[in-house]
């Protein structure tokens, strides 16, 4: 006994295709913003790791410039070169050895990298869907042009 293949057809209007394409573009833009935010945060974490390493190369009492943000710096004298203060959450701060902070920061970077891998997959799927929609739209345009030529020749 042979099983008959079932074919299903879905009919979508040109406007519906355009809407689907726009939805995929919006999804892709959101994914791209998310990727950029994660990459920026990862870079900030890496800069903190590098700064902690540089701090450790200094000696107690040495002066250095400390960034206050927006291009503003203060000259400060270093008291402890092997520890720093970091934010646990919100306005809660804790003093900790540089090695411990570095480990925490590296774990955060590893977590961001895993999230970026998953996000890259989502990004690729969105690109694929958008390309499929655009190919269908292009095929529809060609079909309509051919129909118009046939009508004009008749």
């Amino acid at each position: 006994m042979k099983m008959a293949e079932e074919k299903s057809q879905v009919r979508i209007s040109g406007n519906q295709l355009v809407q689907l394409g726009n939805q995929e573009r919006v999804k892709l833009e959101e994914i791209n913003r998310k990727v950029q935010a994660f990459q920026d945060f990862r870079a900030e974490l890496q800069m903190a790791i590098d700064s902690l390493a540089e701090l450790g190369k200094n000696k107690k009492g040495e002066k250095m410039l400390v960034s206050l943000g927006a291009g503003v710096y203060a000259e400060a004298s270093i008291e402890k070169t092997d520890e720093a203060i970091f934010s646990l959450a919100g306005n809660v701060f804790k003093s900790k050895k540089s090695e411990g902070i570095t480990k925490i920061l590296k774990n955060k970077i590893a977590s961001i990298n895993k999230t970026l891998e998953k996000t890259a997959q989502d990004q690729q799927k969105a690109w694929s869907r958008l390309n499929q929609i655009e190919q269908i739209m292009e095929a529809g345009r060609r079909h309509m042009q051919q129909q118009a030529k046939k009508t004009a020749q008749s």
Side-chain angles (χ1 to χ4, degrees):
M1 184 175 189
K2 291 184 179 179
M3 297 193 71
E5 285 186 34
E6 290 186 32
K7 277 191 170 182
S8 63
Q9 290 186 347
V10 176
R11 293 187 182 258
I12 299 176
S13 71
N15 287 338
Q16 289 171 320
L17 273 175
V18 169
Q19 286 177 332
L20 285 172
N22 288 338
Q23 288 173 352
E24 286 303 319
R25 280 186 195 87
V26 168
K27 285 181 191 175
L28 194 54
E29 288 171 10
E30 289 172 11
I31 291 170
N32 289 340
R33 280 192 294 274
K34 183 178 176 182
V35 166
Q36 187 62 50
F38 278 121
Q39 289 174 338
D40 291 347
F41 186 51
R42 183 176 59 186
E44 184 179 338
L45 292 171
Q46 187 59 54
M47 285 191 306
I49 291 170
D50 295 343
S51 295
L52 284 171
E54 285 299 314
L55 180 65
K57 294 177 184 177
N58 290 311
K59 294 179 184 165
K60 182 179 177 179
E62 279 190 36
K63 290 186 178 182
M64 66 182 295
L65 291 177
V66 178
S67 175
L68 302 177
V72 178
Y73 293 84
E75 189 174 63
S77 181
I78 302 299
E79 289 299 316
K80 298 177 183 176
T81 62
D82 64 339
E83 66 181 63
I85 298 170
F86 75 103
S87 173
L88 291 173
N91 290 328
V92 179
F93 298 93
K94 181 178 180 180
S95 181
K96 191 170 182 115
K97 295 283 184 191
S98 296
E99 296 85 24
I101 296 172
T102 298
K103 184 177 178 181
I104 291 168
L105 296 176
K106 285 183 178 181
N107 286 339
K108 286 182 180 183
I109 288 173
S111 176
I112 287 171
N113 287 339
K114 286 180 185 176
T115 301
L116 282 171
E117 287 176 20
K118 167 75 169 84
T119 305
Q121 292 171 358
D122 294 343
Q123 191 178 37
Q124 186 60 42
K125 288 175 187 176
W127 269 114
S128 294
R129 287 188 302 265
L130 184 57
N131 284 334
Q132 287 175 337
I133 291 168
E134 288 176 349
Q135 288 172 359
I136 292 168
M137 289 173 63
E138 182 58 33
R141 276 189 217 102
R142 284 194 306 267
H143 178 73
M144 289 175 67
Q145 287 173 350
Q146 290 172 352
Q147 293 296 337
K149 283 182 186 178
K150 287 180 183 177
T151 303
Q153 292 173 351
S154 304

